[in-house]
Amino acid sequence: DADVTQTPRNRITKTGKRIMLECSQTKGHDRMYWYRQDPGLGLRLIYYSFDVKDINKGEISDGYSVSRQAQAKFSLSLESAIPNQTALYFCATSDWGDSNQPQHFGDGTRLSIL
Amino acid sequence: AQSVTQLGSHVSVSEGALVLLRCNYSSSVPPYLFWYVQYPNQGLQLLLKYTSAATLVKGINGFEAEFKKSETSFHLTKPSAHMSDAAEYFCAVSAYNQGGKLIFGQGTELSVKP
């Protein structure tokens, strides 16, 4: 089984719908992250969480919200989806410690908003 | 502020040829630097990381990178390309005071011709 699991893997939906992307991990890591990937732009950080009670905005948080339900679960929501939120979304985790800890990624959720 | 620039969005090499993927960074504090690889329909996997120990870092699958502070570079190399190296490669930077947040470059897609 994968250490970082994202569901769903693919989703097509309509403008204005509420969408939740889920991420769960079995690595026991405290830190979790949500990124979006767009062609030619690399990955950009949406939100990150250092523990259950610590949620922080990233570079591009507008239009998104998150919930850290437990150490192992971190969900990303789009309250009212719009077409320019069509992208590949990744969840990642890292261990506590200095910033030299590598991040471990899920396989991504491909989201299309029509 | 930190930033990463990857020169060349697409690089094509012949099987057996040298692979060179370029990465330049900007950081106001000593950086931690990472290279990740993304195979189709998968998440990112860590290739190697620089954390201020040796300037020449060896990673998985025969890749290595050299940290050059004077050139603010962290280029990725492999002496002999294999067909299985075809993927997208991302350079990323973090710093000790950034809580593990990564800033990614735009990515370089590597093609390997038979």
Side-chain angles (χ1 to χ4, degrees), chain B residues 7-24:
Chain B
L7 299 177
S9 58
H10 291 89
V11 170
S12 182
V13 301
S14 297
E15 192 172 20
L18 172 72
V19 176
L20 171 61
L21 304 183
R22 300 179 186 273
C23 172
N24 288 88

Side-chain angles (χ1 to χ4, degrees), chain B residues 44-112:
Chain B
L44 280 68
Q45 302 174 30
L46 181 69
L47 270 179
L48 49 81
K49 66 177 183 179
Y50 167 75
T51 58
S52 76
T55 56
L56 182 62
V57 181
K58 294 187 183 299
I60 62 172
N61 301 338
F63 284 93
E64 63 182 34
E66 186 172 9
F67 173 70
K68 292 186 176 180
K69 184 178 179 180
S70 61
E71 299 177 7
T72 61
S73 69
F74 190 57
H75 301 333
L76 182 71
T77 61
K78 182 174 181 178
S80 177
H82 192 273
M83 296 296 291
S84 61
D85 294 326
E88 189 155 21
Y89 292 80
F90 292 94
C91 182
V93 64
S94 182
Y96 74 93
N97 61 352
Q98 294 296 309
K101 291 187 297 179
L102 290 174
I103 304 297
F104 283 88
Q106 303 92 324
T108 297
E109 185 173 356
L110 175 67
S111 300
V112 182

Side-chain angles (χ1 to χ4, degrees), chain A residues 31 37 50 90 98-100 103 106, chain B residues 32 36 38 43 49 95 99-100:
Chain A
R31 297 176 175 176
Q37 182 181 6
F50 287 168
F90 285 104
D98 201 351
S99 294
N100 60 2
Q103 293 189 12
Chain B
Y32 300 124
Y36 285 86
Q38 183 183 26
K49 66 177 183 179

